[in-house]
C-alpha cells in the first residue's frame, strides 16, 4: 500500500498518542520486554545446543500426562471450577519489578492451557481487603465451549451484581 506523506504523518501521530496513553511507563515496559526476551533467548539456546531431547521431549510427555488427567476428570464431571489466580488481584503496575510473582499469578491457568482444554474466567466478587476483583475459572473439555457459556451465564445470573 502506498501512503502519502500527509497520511503517514497523521497516522503516526495518532498511533503515537494512543501508544503513550496505553503503554506503561518506559522503564517498567523495558524491564518487562527484557524479561520476556530473555525467556525466549534462553529457550532457543537450550533447544539449539543439544538439549532438545532433554527438555522438549520431556515437556511433551508432561503435557500428555496433564491432558490425560483432565480427560479422566471430564469423564466424571461436565466442568471444573477453580480460582483464576492463586491470590486476589494486585494493583496495576504493582508487581512489574517482581517477575516471579507475575509468573506465579498464572499458576491456576497454566495446566488448562498446556492441556489444550477450553476455559473462561468470570468475575466472582471483590476482595474484602483491597476491593479488587476476584476471578472464577470454569474449565471444559476440548470443544466444550458451549458448556462454558452456559455455566458462565448461569453463574453470573445467580451471582447477581458485583458492587
Amino acid at each position: 500500500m502506498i501512503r502519502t506523506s500527509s497520511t503517514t504523518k497523521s497516522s503516526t501521530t495518532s498511533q503515537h498518542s494512543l501508544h503513550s496513553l496505553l503503554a506503561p511507563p518506559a522503564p517498567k515496559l523495558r524491564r518487562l520486554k527484557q524479561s520476556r526476551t530473555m525467556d525466549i533467548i534462553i529457550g532457543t539456546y537450550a533447544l539449539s545446543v543439544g538439549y532438545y531431547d532433554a527438555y522438549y521431549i520431556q515437556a511433551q510427555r508432561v503435557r500428555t500426562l496433564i491432558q490425560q488427567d483432565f480427560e479422566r476428570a471430564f469423564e466424571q464431571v461436565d466442568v471444573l471450577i477453580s480460582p483464576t489466580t492463586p491470590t486476589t488481584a494486585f494493583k496495576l503496575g504493582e508487581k512489574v519489578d517482581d517477575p516471579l510473582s507475575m509468573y506465579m499469578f498464572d499458576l491456576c491457568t497454566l495446566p488448562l492451557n498446556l492441556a489444550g482444554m477450553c476455559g473462561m474466567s468470570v468475575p466472582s466478587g471483590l476482595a474484602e481487603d483491597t476491593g479488587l476483583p476476584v476471578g472464577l475459572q470454569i474449565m471444559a473439555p476440548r470443544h466444550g465451549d458451549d458448556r462454558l457459556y452456559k455455566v458462565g451465564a448461569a453463574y453470573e445470573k445467580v451471582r447477581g451484581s458485583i458492587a
Side-chain angles (χ1 to χ4, degrees), residues 5-158:
S5 60
S6 63
T7 305
T8 305
K9 185 176 181 181
S10 65
S11 172
T12 305
T13 304
S14 64
Q15 287 175 351
H16 178 70
S17 300
L18 180 61
H19 177 72
S20 64
L21 291 173
L22 298 177
K28 290 182 180 181
L29 181 61
R30 260 187 253 118
R31 282 193 298 273
L32 185 61
K33 283 182 179 178
Q34 288 170 346
S35 170
R36 297 294 185 211
T37 302
M38 186 58 74
D39 290 347
I40 293 168
I41 290 170
I42 289 171
T44 303
Y45 175 76
L47 292 178
S48 68
V49 294
Y51 292 107
Y52 178 86
D53 290 336
Y55 293 108
Y56 185 76
I57 301 294
Q58 184 64 24
Q60 290 296 351
R61 288 182 184 136
V62 170
R63 180 181 178 192
T64 299
L65 293 173
I66 293 169
Q67 287 171 333
Q68 291 170 350
D69 282 347
F70 273 109
E71 288 166 1
R72 279 193 297 275
F74 287 124
E75 288 172 2
Q76 313 233 343
V77 297
D78 292 326
V79 296
L80 297 169
I81 296 178
S82 77
T84 302
T85 58
T87 63
T88 56
F90 47 84
K91 294 178 182 165
L92 187 62
E94 181 180 350
K95 303 283 184 183
V96 173
D97 294 329
D98 187 1
L100 181 60
S101 289
M102 291 178 69
Y103 286 132
M104 296 299 288
F105 210 66
D106 294 336
L107 191 62
C108 296
T109 59
L110 286 175
L112 183 69
N113 293 325
L114 289 172
M117 304 294 176
C118 54
M120 71 184 315
S121 180
V122 293
S124 62
L126 300 174
E128 290 181 11
D129 55 341
T130 63
L132 294 172
V134 177
L136 178 78
Q137 180 179 212
I138 305 167
M139 299 168 270
R142 279 189 196 97
H143 310 295
D145 303 59
D146 58 330
R147 292 183 200 181
L148 293 178
Y149 296 126
K150 289 175 185 174
V151 172
Y155 173 75
E156 288 184 335
K157 185 176 180 180
V158 170

